[in-house]
Amino acid sequence: MIDTRTAPYAALVLRVTLGLLFLAHAGLKIFVFTPTGTAGFFASLGLPGWLAYVTILWELAGAVALIVGIWPRLASLAMIPVLLGSIFTVHGAAGFFFNNPNGGWEFPAFWIVGLIVLALIGDGAKALRPTPLRK
């Protein structure tokens, strides 16, 4: 049984937490690795370097959308390709466990599940612009 009194607040906590994770992930690329360094890393994987800048902007936009609640259900789905990309380019080859060298795919996969849960459960309380739904 779902408690309809508290479920919107659970979705809010999940939404903000997922957004903060993306904000931290983008911050790592900006402040630690630098955008230029991130582009170099992408290039070392065989990806175009410019994709690093797109990824940083995508993570920042998705983080803000999730945190403040701008179409959160759609924003959560839009963030899944970023994590799938990290699994297929870096983490997948490192095995399952995230504490493996180069980090396994355990954490990005769990993060994807959280995004799917948010898309299914709803926008949550205090969404600035709730996701428009067809009826």
Side-chain angles (χ1 to χ4, degrees), residues 17-72:
T17 301
L18 291 168
L20 289 173
L21 285 171
F22 276 110
L23 199 59
H25 210 244
L28 185 67
K29 290 177 179 71
I30 295 168
F31 301 112
V32 176
F33 301 128
T34 74
T36 304
T38 303
F41 176 68
F42 274 45
S44 77
L45 298 172
L47 299 169
W50 58 263
L51 188 58
Y53 299 98
V54 172
T55 302
I56 291 168
L57 289 174
W58 195 337
E59 288 180 342
L60 289 172
V64 170
L66 289 169
I67 292 167
V68 301
I70 299 173
W71 294 11

Side-chain angles (χ1 to χ4, degrees), residues 2 5-6 14-15 21 31 38 42 46 49 58 66 74 78-80 89 113 115:
I2 293 178
R5 295 170 300 132
T6 59
L14 179 60
R15 188 184 84 217
L21 285 171
F31 301 112
T38 303
F42 274 45
W58 195 337
L66 289 169
L74 293 176
M79 299 311 293
I80 292 173
T89 59
V113 171
L115 291 166

